[in-house]
Amino acid sequence: MRTYIDIPDGRRARPRRIVTRLRLLALVTAASLCAHDAFGQTRSSLFDAIDVGAQAIGVVTHVSPAVNSRDMTEGYLSQPVIMAHIDPWNELFTLKAMLDFEGATLERGELNPGIYGEGYIDRRHPHTYLHELVVSSAKRFGADGVSGVSATLGKGFAPFGTDDPMSRPFEKYPINHHLSQILERVVAIGALRAGGWIFELGAFNGDEPTSPGDTPNRDRYWDSWSGRVTFVPWPQGEFQASYARVESPENPDGGGADQRKKSASVRFEDVQHTGYALFEWSSTSQYSGGTKSFTFNSFLAETWAKYDRISGALRIERTERPDEERTTDVFRTAVPPTDVSIAGRSLWTIVTLRAAASLLNTRSIILEPFVEVARARVSPTFQPTGFDPTQFYGSSRIWSVSIGAKLAFNMAHMRMGRYGVAVPRRSAGMGDMHMEGME
Amino acid sequence: MIRGLVLLSAMVALACGSDKTVTQPPNAPGSLATIGEGIVNERYTGEVNVRGNVAYTTTWGPRDTFGNAVKIWDVSGNTPQLVDSLIVPFASTLGDVQVTDDGLLLVVATERSGGSIMIYSLSNPSKPQLITRYTTALTDPGVHTAEVQRVNGKLYAFLCIDPANGIPARLVIVDLSNPAAPQQVFTAAMGSPFVHDVYVRDGILITALWDDGITLWDIGGGGHGGSVSNPVQLGNVVTVDGEAHNVWWFHNANGEKKYAFVGEEGPGSIGFSARGDIHVVDVSNLSAPHEVAFYHLDGAGTHNFSVDETRGILYAAYYNGGVRAIDVRGDLSACSASEKSLDGRCDLRMMGRELASGPAGVSPVYIWGVQLVGGFVYASDMLNGIWKLGQVP
């Protein structure tokens, strides 16, 4: 016999939750601003306070089979971005911005077997033109130079999961992108760092972008939230755990399936910035009302090392993907979906190898040719299923080879996905940890 | 380091949920005899509509190929025989199909890459001839269902349009008096976030509006001045758990029109799982509908209905639960305390009203639609094709 419990409608309860979250953010903001020495630490010149950079990757990708036993070869201008970082007053006011022109260069999406999201499947979707525009204000305290509080507001990353794949070694994205990051949202984030511990809490809009020119829906602001705890025990390593509640990400008008997301990771990078490793687990459960429907898990390990001008990288990923009904364009799915069902769920195991060489690697310009080879194995996890990968692709094993080159100008290659005191710099004066030659 | 590992371990330990197995729907007390099966295995099968000895089934989404075919079956014998297929261009899913009450027209809804309805002449029921394809900016991105009914003698198609990026779902009503030149007579955004289906009878329109429940409209029979081109809202009820997908307004053999059955379409994975109850709404007062009972099946969810109104038997497509036959005679709101849920609704299953299920002994199935015609129950099965079943004895 069923038992019915009178659970209040989550959407009706939203205003109270929002008020609570905003109060918390206001407290953090006030603490940050009031504690600051107003404008007393202006950088020596405006020029020093502004970093501007740009990059683009030209790449040709061959996938076998891409669909229906058919191979495909395509070329792209991928990740064409311009970024700016302005910090005139020693973190009192920091602006971070990134324009992404993939909407113009990647409208059809980039072949990337297994990836999905925002109406694309097996092609990576273009990101929005205004990829990131946030302002932060931070106040450091304590002798270690890293402890402090900060507040961040703007369009960017919610405090959840790991760094954006754009700032990691590979050109091809891992297919867990929509499980492991929440981005391109209007965010309000408060952060506290105490020694090796970093705590972040943020509110944002749940709706995903629906096109490169899309902007977050105003009536969805602050309907979702996330929190992240990071522990930095020593300069070379960090541990991260985070949780998010995202309302109706795939239906911009609301009413679609909600998501509860979890992430945990360990990240290492040597002090010389010549070696890096990331171990990541993430999980997203979909909810219809208060009832869980489907869960999608991902494990990912990746490492990168550099010797002189040569670098190599290895990524192993095992991710479950929702398979949604495709349109007459087999690389697209309906946005929003017409209900809360899926055609099936598939498990992707992908091994990706990368080799690259820095032909030019000056302080301001990087020219780095690369090759990436990936082998994916895919199988349905539900039987019977409305999506049989072997039937659809023509094989359960898919190869992908990409050859290209990255050209970057004055890119700081910063970590992407953290703001204010949540950027895990090690101590005063070290700056953000970054990896030369990585993007 | 240790604290970090503890943090990481705690997150992983908390998380490892699995949904690789589901509860198998239990068998019903009786069985619907399996008479025959028409196999479709190159496409997923969608809706079914039968008139006389001809059945039409639509197809859904990509399998070996797109769901762009209407299968035409001769169902005069025990085993449905495929006699022809219509291929609809520029469509990947055909979600709905219906023959008009006079048997002259076949209307097919298309989704994705431009929504439309295809209108065919059935002068030869086995060889439908295209009259026209009706598509406008308001039928994009897809027509999820197309209910064709007559109101005050005039034929209309009620089209439920999918939401698009930033554009809400909507209902479009089209006058089919001249099938070669359909005319839109009404449109309005509705549903939260979907309008999935409608039911039209006696000049009353009932819309299934997902989390907004069902709304009853006077379109000519409600006595409130409503018309097809100007529907007047009479009442609304949000059924428990929302996700109102489809409706059947039950007129029993005594002429009583007390109950509407509402299908709840919860999350499902094709072939594997489904969820959602049948909700019984008392609509004796059209302005104050209220839910009085429900039917729940563990491990499965409902989809479309067909009702034997003479005998008082509801046949419900139940996806992975097959077809379920439920006794809906009498007062569905009267039950003992042990047959009630905590919120006071009567549980039809606890009341022993489940009669039979089918196709017996066949697994897996994923039943989309069902129709009772000529003493047989025809069921469309996404995985297998079309079933011809016996009715409840």
Side-chain angles (χ1 to χ4, degrees), chain A residues 1-4 241-242 264-266 281 288 291 294-295 325 327-328 335 337-338 341-342 345 382 384-386 391, chain B residues 8 11 15 19 44 64 66 93 112-113 162 165 193-194 196 243 268-272 275 277 296 340 342 345:
Chain A
M1 180 175 175
R2 297 183 87 194
T3 301
Y4 286 89
S242 49
S265 65
V266 185
W281 164 86
S288 183
T291 307
F294 305 109
T295 298
E325 182 189 357
T327 68
T328 47
V335 176
T338 50
S341 295
I342 57 175
R345 185 181 68 181
F382 294 153
T385 179
Q391 191 176 35
Chain B
L8 192 68
M11 283 297 294
D19 45 20
Y44 295 108
D64 273 353
F66 281 115
T93 279
R112 321 285 178 239
S113 302
D162 297 327
N165 293 340
F194 314 116
H196 255 242
E243 297 173 336
S269 181
I270 292 172
F272 180 72
R275 200 173 70 213
D277 294 349
H296 170 80
K340 283 186 176 177
L342 291 179
R345 295 175 301 149

Side-chain angles (χ1 to χ4, degrees), chain A residues 22-162:
Chain A
L22 291 177
R23 279 181 183 158
L24 188 59
L25 285 167
L27 282 174
V28 174
T29 306
S32 167
L33 295 176
C34 293
H36 226 283
D37 298 329
F39 294 37
Q41 301 168 23
T42 305
R43 298 269 286 268
S44 56
S45 74
L46 189 61
F47 185 78
D48 291 340
I50 300 175
D51 286 318
V52 177
Q55 76 161 33
I57 300 173
V59 60
V60 174
T61 296
H62 175 79
V63 176
S64 176
V67 61
N68 295 335
S69 303
R70 186 161 55 97
D71 294 1
M72 294 180 74
T73 302
E74 295 180 353
Y76 317 95
L77 185 64
S78 185
Q79 303 174 30
V81 299
I82 298 173
M83 60 78 65
H85 185 260
I86 303 172
D87 180 15
W89 299 302
N90 286 335
E91 299 186 292
L92 175 63
F93 174 85
T94 303
L95 185 146
K96 191 174 181 184
M98 179 175 281
L99 298 177
D100 187 317
F101 300 100
E102 287 181 338
T105 65
L106 282 182
E107 187 181 5
R108 65 178 167 175
E110 179 179 339
L111 284 174
N112 197 331
I115 204 164
Y116 69 98
E118 298 178 25
Y120 290 74
I121 189 162
D122 296 318
R123 286 185 187 272
R124 182 175 69 77
H125 61 79
H127 288 97
T128 56
Y129 293 114
L130 183 59
H131 190 59
E132 191 174 33
L133 177 64
V134 296
V135 292
S136 298
S137 180
K139 169 64 181 175
R140 304 282 177 175
F141 51 74
D144 59 6
V146 296
S147 297
V149 293
S150 66
T152 298
L153 187 67
K155 184 186 177 191
F157 291 82
F160 176 82
T162 50

Side-chain angles (χ1 to χ4, degrees), chain A residues 128-358:
Chain A
T128 56
Y129 293 114
L130 183 59
H131 190 59
E132 191 174 33
L133 177 64
V134 296
V135 292
S136 298
S137 180
K139 169 64 181 175
R140 304 282 177 175
F141 51 74
D144 59 6
V146 296
S147 297
V149 293
S150 66
T152 298
L153 187 67
K155 184 186 177 191
F157 291 82
F160 176 82
T162 50
D163 288 0
D164 187 75
M166 193 187 289
S167 63
R168 286 159 44 190
F170 296 86
E171 193 277 332
K172 289 297 179 212
Y173 274 41
I175 66 174
N176 70 5
H177 183 36
H178 280 254
L179 304 182
S180 300
Q181 289 90 33
I182 302 170
L183 63 157
E184 299 185 319
R185 307 303 217 279
V186 168
V187 296
I189 304 168
L192 165 69
R193 176 157 188 181
W197 289 92
I198 302 170
F199 303 91
E200 300 166 86
L201 185 65
F204 55 93
N205 61 295
D207 55 305
E208 293 177 341
T210 56
S211 68
D214 189 33
T215 54
N217 289 7
R218 285 191 180 186
D219 62 353
R220 301 288 310 277
Y221 283 10
W222 326 128
D223 67 358
S224 302
W225 65 270
S226 64
R228 178 165 56 196
V229 179
T230 306
F231 178 55
V232 187
W234 11 261
Q236 294 85 5
E238 70 185 51
F239 298 80
Q240 172 273 140
S242 49
Y243 179 81
R245 289 272 191 113
V246 187
E247 297 223 1
S248 186
E250 294 185 346
N251 195 318
D253 295 321
D258 300 326
Q259 293 182 351
R260 298 181 191 179
K261 305 168 84 76
K262 302 166 192 166
S263 166
S265 65
V266 185
R267 185 183 189 278
F268 302 99
E269 182 182 7
D270 69 350
V271 178
Q272 296 77 28
H273 312 309
T274 57
Y276 147 92
L278 172 72
F279 301 91
E280 169 186 69
W281 164 86
S282 57
S283 177
T284 294
S285 293
Q286 291 190 344
Y287 279 74
S288 183
T291 307
K292 185 165 75 171
S293 52
F294 305 109
T295 298
F296 308 97
N297 294 300
S298 174
F299 291 92
L300 180 148
E302 67 184 23
T303 184
W304 172 91
K306 183 178 183 185
Y307 179 76
D308 197 14
R309 291 178 175 271
I310 305 297
S311 66
L314 168 67
R315 180 171 70 204
I316 301 171
E317 181 183 9
R318 189 173 168 85
T319 295
E320 291 168 326
R321 177 185 82 172
D323 291 300
E324 298 177 350
E325 182 189 357
R326 298 178 189 232
T327 68
T328 47
D329 179 343
V330 294
F331 295 105
R332 303 297 292 268
T333 58
V335 176
T338 50
D339 50 41
V340 289
S341 295
I342 57 175
R345 185 181 68 181
S346 50
L347 173 63
W348 292 73
T349 304
I350 306 176
V351 179
T352 307
L353 278 166
R354 173 187 170 101
S358 297

Side-chain angles (χ1 to χ4, degrees), chain B residues 10-320:
Chain B
M11 283 297 294
V12 173
L14 279 172
C16 292
S18 174
D19 45 20
K20 290 183 178 176
T21 58
V22 295
T23 305
Q24 288 302 308
N27 291 325
S31 295
L32 303 173
T34 301
I35 294 169
E37 178 193 10
I39 296 172
V40 178
N41 51 24
E42 90 286 1
R43 290 175 170 88
Y44 295 108
T45 296
E47 182 60 290
V48 61
N49 198 250
V50 183
R51 184 176 176 86
N53 287 325
V54 181
Y56 305 90
T57 56
T58 60
T59 50
W60 181 97
R63 195 174 191 179
D64 273 353
T65 186
F66 281 115
N68 58 353
V70 178
K71 305 280 185 175
I72 303 167
W73 306 86
D74 176 352
V75 292
S76 56
N78 285 344
T79 301
Q81 300 291 325
L82 184 66
V83 294
D84 206 348
S85 293
L86 289 172
I87 301 299
V88 177
F90 308 113
S92 60
T93 279
L94 309 177
D96 204 1
V97 61
Q98 190 179 345
V99 179
T100 54
D101 56 359
D102 54 12
L104 296 178
L105 302 175
L106 178 74
V107 178
V108 179
T110 79
E111 277 185 298
R112 321 285 178 239
S113 302
S116 67
I117 52 171
M118 309 293 289
I119 304 172
Y120 298 90
S121 165
L122 287 183
S123 52
N124 179 350
S126 299
K127 296 285 183 185
Q129 296 297 311
L130 181 65
I131 298 173
T132 192
R133 180 176 201 151
Y134 176 75
T135 180
T136 72
L138 292 180
T139 58
D140 276 340
V143 181
H144 194 69
T145 55
E147 178 77 8
V148 183
Q149 292 296 342
R150 212 169 286 277
V151 181
N152 294 328
K154 192 179 276 189
L155 195 64
Y156 295 95
F158 296 78
L159 314 182
C160 294
I161 310 299
D162 297 327
N165 293 340
I167 303 171
R170 63 175 47 245
L171 177 69
V172 171
I173 305 176
V174 177
D175 181 348
L176 294 184
S177 300
N178 178 0
Q183 297 294 317
Q184 179 184 309
V185 295
F186 174 80
T187 184
M190 60 178 69
S192 174
F194 314 116
V195 49
H196 255 242
D197 206 350
V198 305
Y199 192 85
V200 179
R201 195 170 193 174
D202 297 346
I204 301 296
L205 163 68
I206 308 176
T207 50
L209 303 175
W210 211 254
D211 287 342
D212 280 350
I214 62 166
T215 295
L216 297 89
W217 309 80
D218 173 13
I219 56 170
H224 285 72
S227 66
V228 176
S229 58
N230 183 33
V232 173
Q233 182 172 332
L234 300 174
N236 169 268
V237 61
V238 177
T239 45
V240 174
D241 292 334
E243 297 173 336
H245 166 268
N246 61 299
V247 189
W248 185 291
W249 186 12
F250 175 36
H251 294 21
N252 73 14
N254 300 324
E256 194 177 58
K257 307 173 181 178
K258 188 175 182 181
Y259 296 118
F261 304 117
V262 180
E264 170 195 349
E265 185 171 22
S269 181
I270 292 172
F272 180 72
S273 65
R275 200 173 70 213
D277 294 349
I278 298 171
H279 300 265
V280 182
V281 175
D282 184 335
V283 293
S284 49
N285 179 351
L286 296 176
S287 299
H290 59 283
E291 184 170 345
V292 296
F294 69 99
Y295 170 81
H296 170 80
L297 182 62
D298 285 334
T302 194
H303 204 221
N304 295 336
F305 303 150
S306 182
V307 179
D308 181 343
E309 298 193 323
T310 305
R311 300 174 65 202
I313 299 173
L314 165 63
Y315 293 93
Y318 241 92
Y319 280 140
N320 52 320

